[in-house]
Amino acid sequence: MTTPEIPQRSWSQRWHVKGVGWTALLVALLVGSSKMTGVDVGMFFSNFDQFTNLLVRMSQPAWSYVPIIIQPLYETIQMAILGTTIGTVFAVPFAVLAASNLVHNQWLRGIIRLILDLVRTLPDLLLAAIFVAIFGIGSTAGVITLAIFSFGMISKLFYEVIETIDMGPLEAMESVGASKVTIIWYAVLPQIMNQFVSYFLYTLEINVRASTVLGYLGAGGIGVFLQRSLSEFDYNKTAVIILATLVVVMVIDGVSNHLRRVLL
Amino acid sequence: MNMQTTMTNKPEKPVHLNPWRRWSWLIWLVLVAGVYTWAITGLHFTGLQESAGSVSKSIVHGLVNPDWAYVYNGSGEDLVSLIIQTLAIALLGTFVSALISVPFAFWAARGEHEWGHLRSGSGKIVLTLIRTFPEIVLAIMFIKAVGPGSYAGVLAVSIHSIGMLGKLFSEAIENMDRGAEEAIVSAGGNSPQVFMLATIPTIMPEFISYTLYRFEIAVRSASILGMVGAGGIGTPMIFAIQTRAWSRVGIILLGIVVMVLLIDTLSEQLRKRLI
């Protein structure tokens, strides 16, 4: 019987080269970042009374402001619904073209995915700023911003769903000579419909959150009032707006979560 | 023997116990139609500018002919310096937020104990409140405290990210494998030992992976926080849009797209190696 060999640690393992290296890199990046951003913990605390002053004023919400912001809150939800819907309508064909189990042409798929990746890199407020410049101040810019934002998000979620479907029904229909459109209608759609609707609602939740701040740059909805109250230093109005936004977001989340649970 | 080979009676129709079920699609249709009518009639698309066409044309022209001179000019106010500053805001903000999120996550994670529901429920509500508080309002509040600049951006990112990171972390804790913890307990370890030897090593890869994912999002938000004065690439962006300097807008957009794509790819590679 041979004596069992004790496993030897290599030199790099014994000195934890990897761990030390990653830690050193992280520390260097953090130190560099704090130098660059001028982080000064002391300054935050020396100005803390200003911050608490602001919080104190926000803790006394001006409830009389509530009736004024109901209409813009509705507008915010309406913007989110329309924007998400328009984005979804455009996302569906792109999702089909980007799915590897439906489109076998690698080039076409690659180009479509590149477009989708590029669209997803753009932050929503940045899009809003540009569309306000094009379409002027108002909810049109907001709807278009949300449409593009949800287009990027939904097309990715959708093609990932499409890629997970069971290929059996598709092959069955293909073998009896069904056309592409017929196959998508009878074999693909029934398998993905519920998940599509669920992701649509999820995107709607995110868009309701996003649309509450888009108005800050002039793209309609409650954000316009948010910007106004902040620039007039009416922090008790800001507090009402934030609380109202919170209620709306929670109601929409609740409804959407309930619907999604029914669906799946 | 008489074997019956054909069916003489049709099978009975399925009985719907609830007659509403047959008509539920109609109710849904009416509901959805109602919601859309409300949404479309509620918005007025009157604010359209006549100049929309010419402005879009000049935007496209600016995007096609970006202002390459802005990429680097050594002033510290150029594209490369500000993109690095944006990344610095995101990195520092995400790191601080990850540290603060850990106690929040343990607060919000549901445990096995009877009283745990109240504790985790309250933690989840707090995290939702933080998540819903708009990030740009946070940024504006911190600008009041520390003045305009990237420091306010770092603070805004670090506080806002707690909402999402705390939620993801707490879900990781709820779903973690308890085997290692039980092993330490059965070997007679006390709770600090269980925490250090079993809990932390088990959930660390997931925590790091979520932090990297959140970093990707923080890069996007750091690039827009500048629009309200909280440092990074957003500040020159909003100035360029306001002054209609479209070739400047073009180069900044290009810079943001390249930055986000690079960070996403890098973070995705790192996350793939982790889990």
mmCIF file with all atom_site columns, all heavy atoms in Angstrom, chain A residues 110-121:
data_model
loop_
_atom_site.group_PDB
_atom_site.id
_atom_site.type_symbol
_atom_site.label_atom_id
_atom_site.label_alt_id
_atom_site.label_comp_id
_atom_site.label_asym_id
_atom_site.label_entity_id
_atom_site.label_seq_id
_atom_site.pdbx_PDB_ins_code
_atom_site.Cartn_x
_atom_site.Cartn_y
_atom_site.Cartn_z
_atom_site.occupancy
_atom_site.B_iso_or_equiv
_atom_site.pdbx_formal_charge
_atom_site.auth_seq_id
_atom_site.auth_comp_id
_atom_site.auth_asym_id
_atom_site.auth_atom_id
_atom_site.pdbx_PDB_model_num
ATOM 1  N N   . GLY A 1 110 ? -26.729 38.628 -35.449 1.00 0.00 ? 110 GLY A N   1
ATOM 2  C CA  . GLY A 1 110 ? -25.679 39.433 -34.833 1.00 0.00 ? 110 GLY A CA  1
ATOM 3  C C   . GLY A 1 110 ? -25.954 40.922 -34.966 1.00 0.00 ? 110 GLY A C   1
ATOM 4  O O   . GLY A 1 110 ? -25.818 41.672 -34.002 1.00 0.00 ? 110 GLY A O   1
ATOM 5  N N   . ILE A 1 111 ? -26.382 41.341 -36.152 1.00 0.00 ? 111 ILE A N   1
ATOM 6  C CA  . ILE A 1 111 ? -26.644 42.775 -36.371 1.00 0.00 ? 111 ILE A CA  1
ATOM 7  C C   . ILE A 1 111 ? -27.809 43.228 -35.493 1.00 0.00 ? 111 ILE A C   1
ATOM 8  O O   . ILE A 1 111 ? -27.751 44.266 -34.846 1.00 0.00 ? 111 ILE A O   1
ATOM 9  C CB  . ILE A 1 111 ? -26.923 43.038 -37.869 1.00 0.00 ? 111 ILE A CB  1
ATOM 10 C CG1 . ILE A 1 111 ? -25.630 42.844 -38.665 1.00 0.00 ? 111 ILE A CG1 1
ATOM 11 C CG2 . ILE A 1 111 ? -27.473 44.435 -38.071 1.00 0.00 ? 111 ILE A CG2 1
ATOM 12 C CD1 . ILE A 1 111 ? -25.822 42.820 -40.151 1.00 0.00 ? 111 ILE A CD1 1
ATOM 13 N N   . ILE A 1 112 ? -28.873 42.408 -35.471 1.00 0.00 ? 112 ILE A N   1
ATOM 14 C CA  . ILE A 1 112 ? -30.050 42.777 -34.659 1.00 0.00 ? 112 ILE A CA  1
ATOM 15 C C   . ILE A 1 112 ? -29.640 42.894 -33.188 1.00 0.00 ? 112 ILE A C   1
ATOM 16 O O   . ILE A 1 112 ? -29.992 43.863 -32.498 1.00 0.00 ? 112 ILE A O   1
ATOM 17 C CB  . ILE A 1 112 ? -31.149 41.711 -34.818 1.00 0.00 ? 112 ILE A CB  1
ATOM 18 C CG1 . ILE A 1 112 ? -31.656 41.665 -36.249 1.00 0.00 ? 112 ILE A CG1 1
ATOM 19 C CG2 . ILE A 1 112 ? -32.287 41.977 -33.836 1.00 0.00 ? 112 ILE A CG2 1
ATOM 20 C CD1 . ILE A 1 112 ? -32.649 42.711 -36.622 1.00 0.00 ? 112 ILE A CD1 1
ATOM 21 N N   . ARG A 1 113 ? -28.852 41.933 -32.701 1.00 0.00 ? 113 ARG A N   1
ATOM 22 C CA  . ARG A 1 113 ? -28.463 41.974 -31.287 1.00 0.00 ? 113 ARG A CA  1
ATOM 23 C C   . ARG A 1 113 ? -27.568 43.165 -30.999 1.00 0.00 ? 113 ARG A C   1
ATOM 24 O O   . ARG A 1 113 ? -27.657 43.757 -29.923 1.00 0.00 ? 113 ARG A O   1
ATOM 25 C CB  . ARG A 1 113 ? -27.733 40.684 -30.915 1.00 0.00 ? 113 ARG A CB  1
ATOM 26 C CG  . ARG A 1 113 ? -28.688 39.543 -30.827 1.00 0.00 ? 113 ARG A CG  1
ATOM 27 C CD  . ARG A 1 113 ? -28.116 38.408 -30.051 1.00 0.00 ? 113 ARG A CD  1
ATOM 28 N NE  . ARG A 1 113 ? -29.074 37.321 -30.049 1.00 0.00 ? 113 ARG A NE  1
ATOM 29 C CZ  . ARG A 1 113 ? -28.941 36.222 -29.355 1.00 0.00 ? 113 ARG A CZ  1
ATOM 30 N NH1 . ARG A 1 113 ? -27.871 36.048 -28.603 1.00 0.00 ? 113 ARG A NH1 1
ATOM 31 N NH2 . ARG A 1 113 ? -29.860 35.296 -29.396 1.00 0.00 ? 113 ARG A NH2 1
ATOM 32 N N   . LEU A 1 114 ? -26.715 43.518 -31.954 1.00 0.00 ? 114 LEU A N   1
ATOM 33 C CA  . LEU A 1 114 ? -25.854 44.686 -31.766 1.00 0.00 ? 114 LEU A CA  1
ATOM 34 C C   . LEU A 1 114 ? -26.704 45.944 -31.627 1.00 0.00 ? 114 LEU A C   1
ATOM 35 O O   . LEU A 1 114 ? -26.469 46.774 -30.738 1.00 0.00 ? 114 LEU A O   1
ATOM 36 C CB  . LEU A 1 114 ? -24.880 44.809 -32.944 1.00 0.00 ? 114 LEU A CB  1
ATOM 37 C CG  . LEU A 1 114 ? -23.873 45.946 -32.811 1.00 0.00 ? 114 LEU A CG  1
ATOM 38 C CD1 . LEU A 1 114 ? -22.853 45.609 -31.730 1.00 0.00 ? 114 LEU A CD1 1
ATOM 39 C CD2 . LEU A 1 114 ? -23.166 46.221 -34.121 1.00 0.00 ? 114 LEU A CD2 1
ATOM 40 N N   . ILE A 1 115 ? -27.730 46.059 -32.507 1.00 0.00 ? 115 ILE A N   1
ATOM 41 C CA  . ILE A 1 115 ? -28.618 47.227 -32.414 1.00 0.00 ? 115 ILE A CA  1
ATOM 42 C C   . ILE A 1 115 ? -29.265 47.268 -31.040 1.00 0.00 ? 115 ILE A C   1
ATOM 43 O O   . ILE A 1 115 ? -29.305 48.306 -30.375 1.00 0.00 ? 115 ILE A O   1
ATOM 44 C CB  . ILE A 1 115 ? -29.695 47.165 -33.532 1.00 0.00 ? 115 ILE A CB  1
ATOM 45 C CG1 . ILE A 1 115 ? -29.043 47.269 -34.899 1.00 0.00 ? 115 ILE A CG1 1
ATOM 46 C CG2 . ILE A 1 115 ? -30.728 48.267 -33.338 1.00 0.00 ? 115 ILE A CG2 1
ATOM 47 C CD1 . ILE A 1 115 ? -29.995 47.053 -36.053 1.00 0.00 ? 115 ILE A CD1 1
ATOM 48 N N   . LEU A 1 116 ? -29.772 46.111 -30.593 1.00 0.00 ? 116 LEU A N   1
ATOM 49 C CA  . LEU A 1 116 ? -30.450 46.069 -29.297 1.00 0.00 ? 116 LEU A CA  1
ATOM 50 C C   . LEU A 1 116 ? -29.490 46.434 -28.169 1.00 0.00 ? 116 LEU A C   1
ATOM 51 O O   . LEU A 1 116 ? -29.843 47.172 -27.248 1.00 0.00 ? 116 LEU A O   1
ATOM 52 C CB  . LEU A 1 116 ? -31.045 44.686 -29.052 1.00 0.00 ? 116 LEU A CB  1
ATOM 53 C CG  . LEU A 1 116 ? -32.142 44.259 -30.029 1.00 0.00 ? 116 LEU A CG  1
ATOM 54 C CD1 . LEU A 1 116 ? -32.669 42.886 -29.679 1.00 0.00 ? 116 LEU A CD1 1
ATOM 55 C CD2 . LEU A 1 116 ? -33.276 45.259 -30.018 1.00 0.00 ? 116 LEU A CD2 1
ATOM 56 N N   . ASP A 1 117 ? -28.244 45.919 -28.233 1.00 0.00 ? 117 ASP A N   1
ATOM 57 C CA  . ASP A 1 117 ? -27.253 46.248 -27.197 1.00 0.00 ? 117 ASP A CA  1
ATOM 58 C C   . ASP A 1 117 ? -26.990 47.745 -27.163 1.00 0.00 ? 117 ASP A C   1
ATOM 59 O O   . ASP A 1 117 ? -26.882 48.341 -26.097 1.00 0.00 ? 117 ASP A O   1
ATOM 60 C CB  . ASP A 1 117 ? -25.930 45.513 -27.467 1.00 0.00 ? 117 ASP A CB  1
ATOM 61 C CG  . ASP A 1 117 ? -26.009 44.062 -27.047 1.00 0.00 ? 117 ASP A CG  1
ATOM 62 O OD1 . ASP A 1 117 ? -26.946 43.727 -26.288 1.00 0.00 ? 117 ASP A OD1 1
ATOM 63 O OD2 . ASP A 1 117 ? -25.156 43.267 -27.466 1.00 0.00 ? 117 ASP A OD2 1
ATOM 64 N N   . LEU A 1 118 ? -26.874 48.347 -28.369 1.00 0.00 ? 118 LEU A N   1
ATOM 65 C CA  . LEU A 1 118 ? -26.607 49.783 -28.428 1.00 0.00 ? 118 LEU A CA  1
ATOM 66 C C   . LEU A 1 118 ? -27.762 50.570 -27.828 1.00 0.00 ? 118 LEU A C   1
ATOM 67 O O   . LEU A 1 118 ? -27.549 51.519 -27.077 1.00 0.00 ? 118 LEU A O   1
ATOM 68 C CB  . LEU A 1 118 ? -26.375 50.222 -29.885 1.00 0.00 ? 118 LEU A CB  1
ATOM 69 C CG  . LEU A 1 118 ? -25.054 49.770 -30.484 1.00 0.00 ? 118 LEU A CG  1
ATOM 70 C CD1 . LEU A 1 118 ? -24.952 50.220 -31.935 1.00 0.00 ? 118 LEU A CD1 1
ATOM 71 C CD2 . LEU A 1 118 ? -23.887 50.327 -29.700 1.00 0.00 ? 118 LEU A CD2 1
ATOM 72 N N   . VAL A 1 119 ? -28.999 50.163 -28.152 1.00 0.00 ? 119 VAL A N   1
ATOM 73 C CA  . VAL A 1 119 ? -30.157 50.889 -27.628 1.00 0.00 ? 119 VAL A CA  1
ATOM 74 C C   . VAL A 1 119 ? -30.163 50.808 -26.105 1.00 0.00 ? 119 VAL A C   1
ATOM 75 O O   . VAL A 1 119 ? -30.463 51.781 -25.420 1.00 0.00 ? 119 VAL A O   1
ATOM 76 C CB  . VAL A 1 119 ? -31.464 50.306 -28.208 1.00 0.00 ? 119 VAL A CB  1
ATOM 77 C CG1 . VAL A 1 119 ? -32.680 50.883 -27.499 1.00 0.00 ? 119 VAL A CG1 1
ATOM 78 C CG2 . VAL A 1 119 ? -31.553 50.589 -29.690 1.00 0.00 ? 119 VAL A CG2 1
ATOM 79 N N   . ARG A 1 120 ? -29.790 49.634 -25.569 1.00 0.00 ? 120 ARG A N   1
ATOM 80 C CA  . ARG A 1 120 ? -29.850 49.463 -24.113 1.00 0.00 ? 120 ARG A CA  1
ATOM 81 C C   . ARG A 1 120 ? -28.788 50.249 -23.353 1.00 0.00 ? 120 ARG A C   1
ATOM 82 O O   . ARG A 1 120 ? -28.898 50.405 -22.151 1.00 0.00 ? 120 ARG A O   1
ATOM 83 C CB  . ARG A 1 120 ? -29.743 47.982 -23.750 1.00 0.00 ? 120 ARG A CB  1
ATOM 84 C CG  . ARG A 1 120 ? -31.080 47.319 -23.597 1.00 0.00 ? 120 ARG A CG  1
ATOM 85 C CD  . ARG A 1 120 ? -30.963 46.058 -22.784 1.00 0.00 ? 120 ARG A CD  1
ATOM 86 N NE  . ARG A 1 120 ? -29.818 45.278 -23.203 1.00 0.00 ? 120 ARG A NE  1
ATOM 87 C CZ  . ARG A 1 120 ? -29.804 44.460 -24.252 1.00 0.00 ? 120 ARG A CZ  1
ATOM 88 N NH1 . ARG A 1 120 ? -30.881 44.307 -24.940 1.00 0.00 ? 120 ARG A NH1 1
ATOM 89 N NH2 . ARG A 1 120 ? -28.720 43.795 -24.569 1.00 0.00 ? 120 ARG A NH2 1
ATOM 90 N N   . THR A 1 121 ? -27.738 50.724 -24.049 1.00 0.00 ? 121 THR A N   1
ATOM 91 C CA  . THR A 1 121 ? -26.701 51.452 -23.319 1.00 0.00 ? 121 THR A CA  1
ATOM 92 C C   . THR A 1 121 ? -27.167 52.844 -22.914 1.00 0.00 ? 121 THR A C   1
ATOM 93 O O   . THR A 1 121 ? -26.597 53.435 -22.014 1.00 0.00 ? 121 THR A O   1
ATOM 94 C CB  . THR A 1 121 ? -25.431 51.633 -24.175 1.00 0.00 ? 121 THR A CB  1
ATOM 95 O OG1 . THR A 1 121 ? -25.814 52.259 -25.378 1.00 0.00 ? 121 THR A OG1 1
ATOM 96 C CG2 . THR A 1 121 ? -24.747 50.333 -24.449 1.00 0.00 ? 121 THR A CG2 1
#
